[in-house]
Amino acid sequence: MPTYNKLVRDKIPQIIEKTGKKFSTEFLNDQDYIKYLKEKSYEELDEYCTAESNGEAVEELADLLEIIHALAKHHGSSIEEVEAVRKEKAEKRGGFEEKIFLIEVKD
């Protein structure tokens, strides 16, 4: 039986159960939850970086966005507040649409 030891989406146990397979889970405390959410964000970002099609890339971006929702909630915020901060930063500093690559800054 494979060992995963990772945070999974809420309905994964029911999905596994429907296949007739046996599994074990536990519920995390807040400290472990944030730790494994952060690990999951790296996993999903890596999967995005190795995506070979636009469809796969969008799928992984959706997974990252789900993690961002959970992280925002954990920090007492919401995705709407995160989006407001993103917009404010974009107004002050710009976004990444112009594809500017900074080489160096001299004093």
Side-chain angles (χ1 to χ4, degrees):
M1 179 166 75
T3 302
Y4 291 95
N5 289 326
K6 70 178 190 175
L7 184 66
V8 295
R9 288 174 174 263
D10 297 339
K11 294 184 180 181
I12 295 300
Q14 293 125 324
I15 293 169
I16 295 170
E17 192 171 58
K18 286 180 183 178
T19 68
K21 295 180 182 178
K22 302 289 182 198
F23 62 92
S24 61
T25 61
E26 67 180 63
F27 291 96
L28 300 172
N29 61 38
D30 285 347
Q31 183 179 352
D32 286 339
Y33 176 61
I34 194 74
K35 172 188 169 187
Y36 288 113
L37 263 178
K38 289 176 181 180
E39 279 185 19
K40 191 72 173 175
S41 70
Y42 284 111
E43 175 188 329
E44 298 301 343
L45 181 58
D46 185 54
E47 290 175 5
Y48 166 75
C49 290
T50 60
E52 295 183 2
S53 70
N54 286 338
E56 288 176 7
V58 170
E59 187 85 15
E60 299 310 329
L61 288 172
D63 289 342
L64 281 165
L65 189 55
E66 190 66 37
I67 291 166
I68 292 169
H69 278 260
L71 287 167
K73 185 176 180 181
H74 177 78
H75 292 293
S77 188
S78 66
I79 197 64
E80 292 80 14
E81 187 174 340
V82 171
E83 177 63 11
V85 171
R86 183 203 65 79
K87 284 181 179 178
E88 183 180 317
K89 288 182 84 168
E91 286 177 21
K92 290 180 182 175
R93 301 173 64 99
F96 295 97
E97 294 179 25
E98 294 184 25
K99 305 172 188 172
I100 298 169
F101 185 78
L102 182 64
I103 305 297
E104 69 179 330
V105 177
K106 294 183 180 182
D107 286 334

